[in-house]
Amino acid sequence: MLAALSAAMLHACATSPTDRPAVEVDPLIETRMVVKTVCPPEVTAALPARPQPAGDAVITGNEAGMAWLSDTLIHLGLIEGRIRDAKDQCPK
């Protein structure tokens, strides 16, 4: 059976027309990617000044309350740092 298929293919190839229609241009797909950095106004806005304590300010609290306040201030500093870093990546 394989021999019969091979013979049929050879015959088909040998008798195919040699004057095939000309193709003007091969189809071409062009892809272009543009990356544009866009910064939201929340990032580009100026950060407000940090509030400064009055000269006679006293902060007191129990150990758990002071630990919470310390963690909150550290968290605030990390967020402020991220905003500043993001702002530095924005187009000028």
Side-chain angles (χ1 to χ4, degrees):
M1 182 168 163
L2 184 59
L5 287 174
S6 297
M9 286 295 292
L10 287 173
H11 177 70
C13 292
T15 60
S16 66
T18 57
D19 56 335
R20 294 188 179 130
V23 177
E24 290 183 23
V25 178
D26 287 336
L28 176 69
I29 298 173
E30 182 177 323
T31 303
R32 184 178 306 173
M33 182 182 296
V34 176
V35 177
K36 184 176 180 182
T37 302
V38 178
C39 294
E42 294 83 5
V43 172
T44 58
L47 289 173
R50 285 187 175 200
Q52 298 298 316
D56 59 345
V58 176
I59 299 176
T60 60
N62 64 8
E63 187 176 333
M66 296 308 287
W68 172 84
L69 182 59
S70 175
D71 290 343
T72 300
L73 293 174
I74 290 169
H75 182 74
L76 175 63
L78 292 172
I79 291 173
E80 186 176 300
R82 283 189 182 180
I83 292 173
R84 288 185 195 280
D85 289 345
K87 191 173 187 175
D88 290 343
Q89 300 300 316
C90 291
K92 305 293 185 227

